[in-house]
Structure formats: structure tokens, C-alpha cells
Amino acid sequence: LQLMESGGGLVDAGGSLNLSCTVSGFGRFKDLDMGWFRQADGKEAERLICLTHSGVVTLSDDSLNGRFTIARDNAKNTVYLQINRLKSEDTATYHCSDCAWYSDGYYPELRYWGQGAQVIVSS
């Protein structure tokens, strides 16, 4: 399974960004549960959000609600992450990943991830 993220860049605080992740090497993308995590310099990976193959969305933290949106296009083998009202603390490298079920929801499993898309938020 290969994942390739794109869409990162330098954005002003308060702006929006749409990241893409294209998946290859797996013939049935539509059966995958996919999500995103991020990692800021010197910090641990932070799980963000998942979208299952059946359309269930799980946010890893309620504080993300309203700013982070996930979507997928099965015809393009692509999953998207929309981030609105960007803050300086959103500065990180964003990775897509497979997701798995835990006791209270789906979370990025981090078994597979791409090289990431760097997002820098300028305040």
C-alpha cells in the first residue's frame, strides 16, 4: 500500500487548506478505512480523523470538530482533509494513514503512511 499526500503549503492564520492523499498498490480502495494524522517538529504523532469505507467519521478529539473535515473519492482512490480557520498550532506535517477500530471509534492505525504534506501557518 502506497500513499502520497499533496496540497500542503504556507497559509495565513484563519485561512483554509485542502490536502489530498492518493492511494495505490491496493485494488479495493473503497474497502479501506482511511484517515489523517499530523506530526509537528519534536512532537509525537497526533491522530486526527478517520472516514470508514461505509462513511462513518470519527474525530480523535472533539476540539477538531468544525474545523477538520474528511472526504473521499473512491473513483480516484483519494482521501481529502479540509482544514478551516487555520491556527499557528496546526503547523505540522500531515500524513494520511489506514484506520482501525479501537474501543471507542476508528483511529489512524499508522501501519501505512505517506511522506506527508507540510503545512505552515503564518500568524
Side-chain angles (χ1 to χ4, degrees), residues 32-122:
L32 293 175
D33 302 325
M34 297 297 300
W36 293 85
F37 70 96
R38 67 185 178 187
Q39 188 161 24
D41 289 344
K43 296 187 177 181
E44 294 185 356
E46 178 185 5
R47 291 170 166 81
L48 297 174
I49 192 168
C50 284
L51 172 61
T52 69
H53 67 281
S54 59
V56 174
V57 176
T58 303
L59 281 166
S60 299
D61 191 294
D62 288 342
S63 66
L64 304 175
N65 195 17
R67 293 205 305 124
F68 288 74
T69 305
I70 190 170
R72 64 192 295 159
D73 185 338
N74 290 335
K76 296 181 178 179
N77 287 6
T78 300
V79 60
Y80 304 95
L81 179 68
Q82 173 83 18
I83 313 172
N84 297 321
R85 302 191 302 278
L86 280 155
K87 306 175 182 180
S88 58
E89 52 262 43
D90 294 323
T91 294
T93 299
Y94 286 73
H95 302 266
C96 61
S97 169
D98 59 313
C99 290
W101 170 260
Y102 289 80
S103 59
D104 59 346
Y106 287 90
Y107 295 92
E109 181 73 9
L110 276 67
R111 287 182 303 172
Y112 306 98
W113 66 89
Q115 86 288 347
Q118 187 177 33
V119 173
I120 301 173
V121 182
S122 174

